[in-house]
Amino acid sequence: MPHVLLLSLLLGALCSPGQAMSQEERHRLRNQVVEMFDHAYKNYMDHAYPADELMPLTCRGRVRGLEPSRGDVDDALGKFSLTLIDTLDTLVVLNKTTEFEAAVRRVLSDVKLDNDIVVSVFETNIRVLGGLLGGHSMAVMLKEGGHHMQWYQDELLHMAKDVGLRLLPAFNTSSGLPYPRVNLKYGVRGPETRTGTETDTCTACAGTIILEFAALSRFTGDPVFEAQARRALDFLWEKRQRNSNLVGTTINIHSGEWVRRDSGVGAGIDSYYEYLLKAYILLGDDLFLQRFNIHYASIMKYISQPPLLLDVHIHKPLLPARTWMDSLLAFFPGLQVLKGDIRPAIETHEMLYQVTKKHNFLPEAFTTDFRVHWAQHPLRPEFAESTYFLYKATGDPYYLEAGRTVLDNLNRFARVPCGFAAMKDVRTGSHEDRMDSFFLAEMFKYLFLLFADAEDLPFDVEDYIFTTEAHLLPLSLSMAPHSSAAPWNTTSEEDLDDSNFDWTCPNTRLLFPDPAFPRTLRDPIRSAVDKSCPRPAPYREPGMGRPPLRAQDFMANNPEHLELLRRMGVSLIHLKDGRVQLVQHATQAVSAVAAEDGMRFMQEMMELSSQQQKEQLPPRAIQLVSHPFFGRVVLTAGPAQFGTDLSKSTTGVRGFVTVAEPYSGCAELANPEYVQGRIALLQRGQCMFAEKARHIQKAGAIGGIVIDDNDGSSSDTAPLFQMAGDGRSTDDVTLPLLFLFHKEGNILLEALKEYREVEVLLSDKARDRAAIFKGKTLPGSLMESSVDVKEEEDCSTEATTPTASAHIDQSQMSTVGSDESAPEEVSPSEDEVSPLHKEVSLPDEVSPSEEEASPPEEKPGLTESKVERDSKERGEEPEGDTDSSSQSVDELLADWRDDLEAFQQMEKDEL
């Protein structure tokens, strides 16, 4: 598939409903970028060169070993004039060809690579090898133009190969994953190397090699580099979690076991995903796009909660792993532009833009309510990168204004006499004596391209791909000769069926026919982020000192209640996993009194959550008892806080199932004659659970099963949910109502489709088959003794974040949003009790039950169908077709063991 098709997105531009920036203003900003670059570059050359980096506060170079160690950060420094090499192709982009030629001569004459120093394989690859390859690409382009670099004879390429050869010893592992560090002179083996004892590396560290190594192979004709990079990527792909298709953050380079099982798109993983897509663009190999698309689908399913991107556990991807985001994820909207998924890119970028405007820079980490978590900002370029790509894709001048904001803040807050200094604390504006090489390599490159016209560039930027360090590699490398001896594709085509994905990006004119549409995406996000200035407050709430709305009376589908929340500075954010987050910003309240009311409202929510902790219900079981199942298939079901209590029933409720009409159960049933005396199947959504129960009860049903409408949800990957009431008395509901996730619900629906008549038993736990049939003769295959199903015991996991988690009794509350149940979980952080800031996180419809925190071995009967479990214990293939997975028994057992290890690790990790 021609790789150029993926770039077709950049051809479509949207006209913005706002006023376009004048060409004169754009040129002024373009020239300002050049002036700022000159200030930074000149001070490095005057005060720091040949040191690796500039220390802008003390106006001297940072030489490793002469300055106090900063830990892992210093692993990027190798006494090889890092900033100069990293800046080479930036000089050409900014039309500084004379300076570029001088810089290349300096690199060739001054830089030595045979240094007895331990460096990061990842940083040296993307900054030094990438910088030399980008410089070589620019030198060749200028030489072919006939005006510059006529003396050049591939000297930078020879130097790049020297770097590559010095990195190769790091790949000498059984897995193919590289050691995280290498000695430039001695490699990784032997006492003189002072390295080679590490066992772990980050996913991005091992997975961000392919662009530079493949380019080096294709420039030089030596296939060894590309082969090693592909081997590392193949191993990471094979070690992905097969159920969630996510990868962890840290992996053992020898065993391939995940050391940290949290997964996101930020630090530790970010450029692994980036390089899968860009490797397809650069090399034209469909395999990389197929892998990226599979990962991307899981990212959008589990991690993306627009506008947020929240880390999850790879084995339980509906469980959040942390309550904050790191600034490195700011690259992701730009990657989504290359993918062609513009809407979430706009949403996440807008969130990041508002956080930037609130704090002047993106903090290294910030919470889901946009407060500072880690206050540093080392002048990272990822936000500028995404701003550039969104402008290229949409043509919306809004992104020119975002770029102007970045420029202004750099000049106002980071500029110092000897360059630009990193921010030690964005809240106080204090500086750190640091100007990383990536600031010159990336920041000014993206900002210049944002404001420049095509004629301002000495080459067509569309002929190149940007590496993660923004170095330029020519797309013509896809046509360069490379070894075909190595079996690149180690995965069968059946495993990589990519038929559900588009191969090319949509033109944004067709994607967004309404020019105002991007603005409609941005506006609600802007209002969700705390403004830097309080709103005017002419309005005074009635009932001074008393909250206008009590937590126990709140109904989220009541427009009047939502308006009252708005006046109190409380906003609702709907998360993708069904939860709703309540956030209070006192500065957004219409008055000081209203802000106090909002604080009381949030405190009441927390008190309700404390009460709810004591009222958790255990999971229930739905057992298929008719032919051909005969009790062998048991589905884990969530309970309801109303209706028949199955734990007090010795027999449970048994009956045939039928689908209610309407399927939502939100109106009087149109098929009562079919529902009467049966168990009704319903779909989650559109109304409250209690309302569904009343409608099927009126039609004569003896029970109900609600099936999740969230495609792909499963009790294997999600915490157990329980359904709540509607804020009114539910004593009138006398039938049992249970909840099935989408995967388990599909098992039931497929059985009904195939066998027409399916009988189930609703109970508090799976029953022995002999007890189900009460002494009747069972089929021969069922005469074996049944496996006992133990009741689950309550257990709670150790807190891993400074967040107090609790549950609110939904019988006292109404639904959140338009779905069935009320906010159920309140998770205020300890520091959110301050009058100025509060946050409450709640599940939208149903809440996790505490039992889900117990390890899988404590839940043998309810985590999977009984027939599958029995078969696994015997080492046989499971009977029936209750699981669409084609994994072998060995693979299933391996994944099950991974789950056990994940739970044990989750209890120890502090994320």
Side-chain angles (χ1 to χ4, degrees):
M1 184 64 60
H3 57 265
V4 294
L5 292 179
L6 199 67
L7 302 178
S8 62
L9 163 71
L10 301 180
L11 301 178
L14 280 175
C15 298
S16 170
Q19 186 175 0
M21 181 180 288
S22 68
Q23 187 178 34
E24 180 181 1
E25 180 63 9
R26 283 184 60 199
H27 289 172
R28 185 190 71 79
L29 294 172
R30 176 201 63 194
N31 295 338
Q32 186 177 5
V33 172
V34 175
E35 185 278 329
M36 293 167 65
F37 170 84
D38 288 341
H39 177 68
Y41 181 68
K42 184 175 186 300
N43 275 285
Y44 166 74
M45 296 303 296
D46 290 348
H47 299 293
Y49 182 80
D52 284 316
E53 290 181 343
L54 170 67
M55 299 173 67
L57 299 183
T58 53
C59 298
R60 68 178 193 269
R62 182 179 297 280
V63 179
R64 192 169 173 186
L66 300 183
E67 301 295 335
S69 174
R70 300 175 298 169
D72 292 348
V73 176
D74 283 340
D75 287 344
L77 311 180
K79 297 182 180 180
F80 35 36
S81 301
L82 175 63
T83 296
L84 183 61
I85 292 177
D86 220 1
T87 308
L88 288 176
D89 53 5
T90 304
L91 289 166
V92 179
V93 171
L94 271 62
N95 259 311
K96 295 183 174 294
T97 50
T98 301
E99 290 88 341
F100 171 73
E101 194 158 353
V104 171
R105 291 185 184 276
R106 280 182 180 268
V107 168
L108 298 178
S109 63
D110 298 347
V111 174
K112 306 301 179 187
L113 298 173
D114 191 29
N115 302 322
D116 181 11
I117 192 168
V118 176
V119 296
S120 162
V121 173
F122 168 75
E123 297 290 355
T124 304
N125 174 66
I126 66 171
R127 300 201 206 188
V128 181
L129 179 55
L132 291 171
L133 292 173
H136 170 69
S137 300
M138 295 294 97
V140 170
M141 179 271 299
L142 291 173
K143 183 178 181 179
E144 291 175 350
H147 300 292
H148 301 278
M149 303 296 294
Q150 297 303 301
W151 55 269
Y152 182 69
Q153 298 294 326
D154 294 346
E155 289 88 349
L156 290 178
L157 179 59
H158 299 322
M159 202 170 183
K161 185 172 183 179
D162 188 6
V163 173
L165 291 172
R166 294 177 187 277
L167 295 180
L168 274 184
F171 292 81
N172 188 19
T173 61
S174 58
S175 67
L177 299 180
Y179 284 96
R181 298 175 185 86
V182 67
N183 187 298
L184 288 176
K185 187 170 186 176
Y186 297 112
V188 295
R189 297 293 175 87
E192 69 276 11
T193 67
R194 304 185 305 283
T195 188
T197 59
E198 304 92 339
T199 58
D200 306 334
T201 192
C202 71
T203 301
C205 298
T208 311
I209 306 289
I210 185 64
L211 292 190
E212 292 82 4
F213 269 41
L216 182 58
S217 282
R218 299 192 181 201
F219 273 132
T220 64
D222 187 344
V224 63
F225 304 103
E226 184 171 350
Q228 293 294 341
R230 285 180 178 263
R231 183 177 173 225
L233 278 180
D234 288 344
F235 190 81
L236 287 173
W237 172 253
E238 291 301 320
K239 290 300 177 180
R240 74 194 187 281
Q241 213 290 324
R242 296 303 180 95
N243 291 325
S244 65
N245 278 317
L246 296 174
V247 293
T249 302
T250 307
I251 191 170
N252 186 294
I253 61 175
H254 303 297
S255 67
E257 294 180 0
W258 292 109
V259 179
R260 282 185 53 191
R261 295 176 171 89
D262 48 317
S263 183
V265 295
I269 302 180
D270 48 3
S271 48
Y272 163 68
Y273 293 131
E274 177 186 2
Y275 269 37
L276 282 178
L277 180 57
K278 289 184 175 180
Y280 164 69
I281 299 173
L282 179 66
L283 307 176
D285 188 337
D286 293 352
L287 177 69
F288 294 122
L289 182 61
Q290 291 173 324
R291 291 179 179 179
F292 172 80
N293 279 336
I294 290 171
H295 280 314
Y296 185 77
S298 291
I299 291 170
M300 299 310 292
K301 181 176 181 179
Y302 299 119
I303 295 170
S304 175
Q305 301 179 12
L308 310 179
L309 291 164
L310 296 176
D311 284 20
V312 299
H313 298 282
I314 59 175
H315 293 82
K316 291 284 183 179
L318 293 181
L319 288 178
R322 60 176 61 152
T323 58
W324 49 270
M325 296 167 278
D326 66 76
S327 62
L328 284 171
L329 61 76
F331 90 101
F332 198 66
L335 189 65
Q336 289 179 306
V337 169
L338 286 181
K339 161 69 179 169
D341 200 0
I342 309 297
R343 175 174 182 145
I346 290 173
E347 293 173 332
T348 298
H349 179 276
E350 180 61 22
M351 178 269 292
L352 296 169
Y353 185 28
Q354 296 305 317
V355 173
T356 297
K357 291 203 292 187
K358 179 180 178 182
H359 301 294
N360 299 322
F361 299 97
L362 272 181
E364 273 292 78
F366 52 94
T367 62
T368 55
D369 56 344
F370 317 117
R371 291 176 296 115
V372 172
H373 184 69
W374 295 335
Q376 304 93 333
H377 175 74
L379 307 182
R380 294 201 185 277
E382 285 77 15
F383 177 72
E385 174 186 357
S386 287
T387 302
Y388 163 69
F389 278 109
L390 272 167
Y391 179 68
K392 287 287 289 183
T394 66
D396 190 341
Y398 180 84
Y399 297 108
L400 297 176
E401 294 299 332
R404 186 209 300 268
T405 299
V406 174
L407 274 188
D408 290 346
N409 288 345
L410 285 172
N411 273 323
R412 290 175 58 196
F413 304 110
R415 187 165 182 150
V416 294
C418 284
F420 292 84
M423 306 304 297
K424 186 175 183 179
D425 193 319
V426 298
R427 298 164 297 191
T428 64
S430 58
H431 289 123
E432 189 175 354
D433 200 4
R434 169 182 180 184
M435 190 179 82
D436 291 80
S437 68
F438 55 67
F439 182 61
L440 286 164
E442 300 183 68
M443 180 70 81
F444 294 115
K445 193 175 292 171
Y446 286 124
L447 289 175
F448 181 83
L449 291 171
L450 177 65
F451 298 115
D453 296 321
E455 53 268 24
D456 295 327
L457 301 174
F459 61 94
D460 187 352
V461 73
E462 304 295 347
D463 292 336
Y464 295 81
I465 186 74
F466 290 104
T467 69
T468 194
E469 191 77 3
H471 293 307
L472 293 157
L473 298 177
L475 293 176
S476 58
L477 286 175
S478 65
M479 309 303 294
H482 62 283
S483 172
S484 58
W488 302 137
N489 192 341
T490 59
T491 309
S492 67
E493 297 208 3
E494 290 77 9
D495 294 335
L496 293 173
D497 178 16
D498 204 35
S499 58
N500 292 326
F501 294 101
D502 291 331
W503 287 92
T504 59
C505 301
N507 184 298
T508 51
R509 287 190 184 276
L510 302 177
L511 188 63
F512 296 149
D514 179 6
F517 187 67
R519 185 178 62 187
T520 66
L521 296 178
R522 292 191 292 257
D523 286 348
I525 297 170
R526 184 180 300 115
S527 65
V529 182
D530 191 15
K531 305 297 189 298
S532 58
C533 300
R535 298 179 182 179
Y539 179 83
R540 184 176 180 83
E541 289 286 348
M544 181 181 296
R546 294 189 58 192
L549 178 64
R550 304 299 300 273
Q552 61 264 35
D553 299 328
F554 172 62
M555 299 183 67
N557 59 348
N558 187 324
E560 294 180 4
H561 288 184
L562 296 178
E563 175 61 20
L564 289 173
L565 289 188
R566 186 192 68 79
R567 290 183 175 278
M568 293 188 295
V570 179
S571 56
L572 279 76
I573 300 177
H574 290 262
L575 303 180
K576 194 168 184 176
D577 62 0
R579 294 182 303 133
V580 167
Q581 187 178 66
L582 290 180
V583 182
Q584 190 210 11
H585 298 290
T587 55
Q588 291 187 0
V590 296
S591 69
V593 173
E596 292 180 9
D597 292 343
M599 184 176 66
R600 291 191 188 97
F601 175 83
M602 301 292 276
Q603 288 172 339
E604 288 180 355
M605 281 287 192
M606 294 181 221
E607 291 170 3
L608 286 175
S609 98
S610 179
Q611 298 170 11
Q612 183 68 15
Q613 277 187 320
K614 303 176 182 179
E615 301 176 9
Q616 295 302 319
L617 299 175
R620 307 299 189 214
I622 298 176
Q623 200 163 1
L624 279 64
V625 298
S626 57
H627 173 81
F629 307 103
F630 299 112
R632 293 178 301 177
V633 176
V634 182
L635 306 174
T636 303
Q641 295 177 346
F642 54 87
T644 300
D645 185 355
L646 292 171
S647 65
K648 297 179 181 178
S649 172
T650 59
T651 60
V653 174
R654 181 171 174 173
F656 288 91
V657 297
T658 189
V659 177
E661 293 181 10
Y663 190 24
S664 67
C666 292
E668 188 169 334
L669 299 195
N671 61 337
E673 66 276 14
Y674 295 103
V675 171
Q676 186 173 10
R678 294 191 170 221
I679 296 172
L681 301 182
L682 307 152
Q683 186 180 46
R684 173 184 181 181
Q686 301 182 27
C687 66
M688 303 172 75
F689 290 119
E691 185 178 352
K692 297 175 186 290
R694 291 188 179 100
H695 283 137
I696 62 172
Q697 181 172 286
K698 184 178 179 181
I702 60 173
I705 299 173
V706 178
I707 298 175
D708 193 8
D709 61 345
N710 183 14
D711 188 20
S713 65
S714 167
S715 62
D716 294 334
T717 55
L720 190 68
F721 279 70
Q722 60 180 355
M723 298 174 286
D726 57 1
R728 298 185 288 139
S729 172
T730 52
D731 293 343
D732 59 318
V733 179
T734 58
L735 52 70
L737 191 70
L738 298 183
F739 178 86
L740 286 179
F741 284 105
H742 187 267
K743 178 181 175 181
E744 287 78 6
N746 266 356
I747 292 174
L748 188 55
L749 291 173
E750 288 297 321
L752 183 62
K753 180 179 178 182
E754 183 170 357
Y755 300 105
R756 301 297 180 96
E757 290 290 325
V758 175
E759 189 178 16
V760 300
L761 174 65
L762 312 183
S763 58
D764 61 330
K765 62 180 180 179
R767 307 287 176 166
D768 184 273
R769 292 193 287 271
I772 293 174
F773 293 96
K774 297 180 180 179
K776 295 180 181 179
T777 302
L778 301 177
S781 61
L782 300 180
M783 291 303 292
E784 62 197 69
S785 60
S786 300
V787 178
D788 293 335
V789 181
K790 299 179 182 178
E791 290 193 52
E792 298 181 293
E793 298 177 353
D794 290 343
C795 82
S796 57
T797 56
E798 176 184 348
T800 58
T801 68
T803 301
S805 180
H807 300 273
I808 294 178
D809 183 357
Q810 293 194 8
S811 65
Q812 297 175 340
M813 298 177 59
S814 73
T815 181
V816 173
S818 61
D819 276 324
E820 296 94 345
S821 68
E824 175 122 39
E825 181 178 11
V826 180
S827 302
S829 297
E830 292 172 356
D831 57 351
E832 289 169 351
V833 198
S834 66
L836 291 179
H837 208 116
K838 288 186 175 293
E839 171 185 297
V840 180
S841 295
L842 331 134
D844 192 340
E845 300 172 347
V846 280
S847 70
S849 177
E850 293 182 23
E851 286 78 5
E852 192 65 16
S854 60
E857 62 266 27
E858 295 180 6
K859 306 192 299 182
L862 295 177
T863 53
E864 60 188 61
S865 69
K866 192 173 183 184
V867 62
E868 291 175 337
R869 179 170 50 80
D870 290 348
S871 299
K872 289 180 188 178
E873 292 174 355
R874 295 192 302 268
E876 301 173 0
E877 292 290 336
E879 297 180 47
D881 190 24
T882 59
D883 191 344
S884 60
S885 174
S886 61
Q887 289 176 291
S888 69
V889 172
D890 290 340
E891 289 173 328
L892 289 170
L893 287 172
D895 282 345
W896 184 73
R897 284 192 293 269
D898 286 345
D899 287 338
L900 294 183
E901 294 170 4
F903 273 97
Q904 294 166 359
Q905 186 69 29
M906 285 161 58
E907 292 179 350
K908 299 176 184 177
D909 286 349
E910 289 192 2
L911 301 176

